[in-house]
Amino acid sequence: MDFEFNNRSRAEVLAPAGSIEIAKAVINAGADAVYLGGDMFGARAYAGNLNNEEMLEILDYAHKFGRKVYLTVNTLLKQNEIDNNLINFLIPFYENGLDAVIVQDLGVFNLIHENFPDLDIHASTQMTQTGPKGSKILRELGATRVVTSREMSLSEISELHKELPDLEIESFVHGALCYSYSGQCLLSSFNGGRSGNRGRCAQPCRMAYDCMLNGQTINKNNEKYILSPKDMCSIPILPDIIEAGVYSLKIEGRMKNITYASYVTSMYRKYLDMYFERGREGYKVDKKDIDNLLDIYNRGMFTTGYYNSTKGREMISLNRPNHMGTKALRVLKNVSGKITFKALEDINAGDVFEIEDGISFTSGNNVKRNDTLVVNLPKKYKLFEGRVINRMNNAKLKALVMSEYVDNPPKIKVDLSMYVSVGSELVLNASIKNPDYNNKYYGKLKNKKDTYYSNDYEDYEYLDVSYIGPVVSKAKSASITKESILKGICAMGDTNFVLGNAEINIDGNAFLPMGQIKQARREVLRLLEEKIKNNHKRTYVKPEILDKDGLTKDMASNSEDKKLSLYFKDIDLSKKITNYSLISRVYIDFNDLFSLASKFKDDSKLSEYKEEISRIKSFNTKLYMALPHVLKTSHLDTFKKLIDTAIYLDVDGFLIRSLEELAFIDEYIAKLDRSLDVILDSNMYVFNTWAKEEFLKIPLNKFKIKGFSAALELNERELRSVLDESFELPVLTTAPLMISEQCPKRTFNACNKQRENYLLKSHKGNDYEIMSICSFCYMQMNSKKINLLDTNEYKDLKVGYLRFDIEKENDLIELIRHFKKLEDYSLLDIMDKYNEKRIVEYGHFYRGVE
């Protein structure tokens, strides 16, 4: 197909690629940009990914057609990885015109922004961005785009766009949905060491489970895939998504094959163009296109995700966790294995049909809808009359992709003008529309403070080159004609160019061999390709090294002893300790106070809480409220009441679990004549010292970041390279394995809007406690209790604080057993009540993650 460069700045189709072949195919299929991983640091470690040579090749290929390439560097990096490899890995891609990097780790964010100030940074969906406040922080740190959490609704995205109109929004529109918030899932990590935060998720959410509520199984036998969402398809609501402010329409699928990636890309290209050409009134979705997308891949039909769907049963593929295919054949009769099927759709030779899991057959013929297909199959299969068989592979779609998009690049229209004058050199000029003309990524300064381009991109409307050939001689007989020259220059063979306009100027009775004409054409196109390629080149300039001491010295503690922090999941347990003089920090859980958040001073229970908090603080113990794991704009009213309650209770600060919370509270309390402290919890990942530095750069008004929590996926050796006295080490805790907008209680119509704990039992023998957090309408899956108190290594770690999560009296016993000096300050009658087997689960303290 012919291709003309145009301004696609209104929105882009962003396609995935797990190999260079797929990357080229999705560009051929109409992608404005492609996102892919190199051979390091991508969040799909088991995708094909591209080696360095392939990365450089695809950069040139994409830029030739005015497309962009975004590199995924969207994993958490350990200290040795980020120090020794990251910048050197990126330099050749940067110098070859890499358009952007997609980042999860704030340490990676820090180093990329410092080393490549003119390289766009896109904040990955792994950063769990759910609203405008946290996104504003990322913009101020240097992000040019935020990839929203899949859980955001259209109204929430619209609010983000209204508050930050200069920040690009990228949102997923098609493909697999995660059950958990991206970046907030440790289930695979704690199951077998394969961390989703490191691009190695084993997808335990796609396994079979039973849901146990009050001792009863509430899911049916054929509804085992409780944590497996359906795939998303947003074509029916694409106008709504664009009008909400989404700029980049992201297709999931770096693990998918070339047929999937290319065909899905072509469909979103079709419908995005349709919307901009015809408007909302002319936007019509062809059912056949949706059927074809289902044929390509679906997990039990499609959902529009969280954009406008009600979370719950309709979003979950309860019966099957993988491709379900489409209904294609119905058994009319079975005579001793000779099966007569009725075709429910047009059947193609080469289509694959599933009989049982892992058992399939292939059609040898083309069959029209409602015609019959006769196949001989073993008698053992239960192919009874009336049974419907699904098609799992559509051969026609696969063939279409191969013919239309694989090895079939777009053609660029080039205007040629040749000047032939006897006694002068032959001149052939070539001109194309500059693929990057007025592209905000090239040719002008970015809207970043003290950040400038270090390269010289051309910002001309057209790219022009000239070839100067040999001197033209006078014809001895017949002279060259315009028609002959045109014939010689228009045949462009297997190049990426086709002739647009041609101007031929002949002065005098000129002789010009056809070989010279063709040579001129080849050379001018070669020069044009070189100019397009060089238009993206830039040079890496190593920055001066920052003084780290200036960023961290105020965080250090002079205390030689590790201080103690207690996190009470139930504030009533705090009364078991009569003297807090040896406790430095106390956390109270937001869930414990939520029911009181709207009542205030005249409520006796709230007064009781205030009295207990005052007692604890009287020992010079700092008291913090631990906040929810996620905050969405739809829950802001609830959150405000919670913060008002915390301020009334005179807390010293908050245990923060999201950037959205951090920014919102800092702005909300700006009217108060006081400052509050912040401790960042473990899910505010500090995998390396660079991440800590970046957190400390966040511009805050009334907050001061006073501490960090050790990352739960680093082992003891890796922690040593990160921790200092500003860190808190959880030594008795439960890890939040999953934070999800979904909730199995709601899936099975058992939602009573009451906070309670229940169980998920995997068919491999693992039990997981589920907490329904009804106050903010999400669920939390917890690990077994992690207890590092029997290890010796934790005592040698350089941390300022040791944290104990107190969920029941037995946790207080563990505390007292290991810190005998607390015995005089505790009610020891509880020691006689419990004699349970001691816990020896160590989490990742020894094993770590890949």
Side-chain angles (χ1 to χ4, degrees), residues 412-425:
I412 305 169
K413 286 186 178 180
V414 56
D415 295 337
L416 298 178
S417 56
M418 181 174 278
Y419 297 89
V420 180
S421 180
V422 175
S424 299
E425 294 169 319

Side-chain angles (χ1 to χ4, degrees), residues 105-172:
D105 190 319
L106 273 183
V108 175
F109 197 109
N110 182 340
L111 278 177
I112 290 177
H113 193 55
E114 177 184 325
N115 282 269
F116 311 104
D118 59 336
L119 180 59
D120 277 2
I121 298 177
H122 297 172
S124 170
T125 190
Q126 292 281 122
M127 297 187 84
T128 323
Q129 285 312 296
T130 57
K133 307 302 181 185
S135 296
K136 183 179 179 182
I137 285 179
L138 292 170
R139 186 194 63 181
E140 291 175 347
L141 291 176
T144 57
R145 177 182 297 188
V146 62
V147 187
T148 58
S149 292
R150 290 174 173 90
E151 291 77 5
M152 288 186 71
S153 68
L154 286 174
S155 61
E156 290 167 337
I157 291 174
S158 180
E159 187 66 26
L160 167 60
H161 179 59
K162 288 177 183 177
E163 287 204 29
L164 300 172
D166 58 337
L167 181 68
E168 286 183 355
I169 297 174
E170 176 180 308
S171 300
F172 283 92

Side-chain angles (χ1 to χ4, degrees), residues 576-579 815-816 822-829:
K576 297 293 182 179
I577 296 178
T578 57
N579 187 315
L815 173 67
I816 295 168
L822 290 174
E823 290 185 1
D824 295 337
Y825 301 98
S826 305
L827 295 178
L828 298 184
D829 61 317

Side-chain angles (χ1 to χ4, degrees), residues 193 201 242-243 270 284 343 425 492 508 522 728 763 777 823:
C201 180
I242 296 167
E243 290 170 14
K270 170 183 175 178
K284 307 295 181 185
E425 294 169 319
M492 298 191 178
R522 287 192 294 268
E728 189 166 85
H763 289 201
C777 200
E823 290 185 1

Side-chain angles (χ1 to χ4, degrees), residues 327-350:
K327 296 178 180 180
L329 299 173
R330 177 182 289 115
V331 178
L332 294 179
K333 60 180 178 179
N334 182 344
V335 182
S336 299
K338 184 178 181 180
I339 318 297
T340 301
F341 293 102
K342 177 183 178 181
L344 305 178
E345 298 288 346
D346 288 347
I347 303 302
N348 316 294

Side-chain angles (χ1 to χ4, degrees), residues 512-530:
L512 196 61
M514 186 57 68
Q516 287 186 7
I517 296 173
K518 292 181 178 180
Q519 175 67 13
R521 181 202 68 216
R522 287 192 294 268
E523 284 300 308
V524 81
L525 294 182
R526 181 187 64 79
L527 291 171
L528 189 55
E529 287 207 6
E530 284 296 314

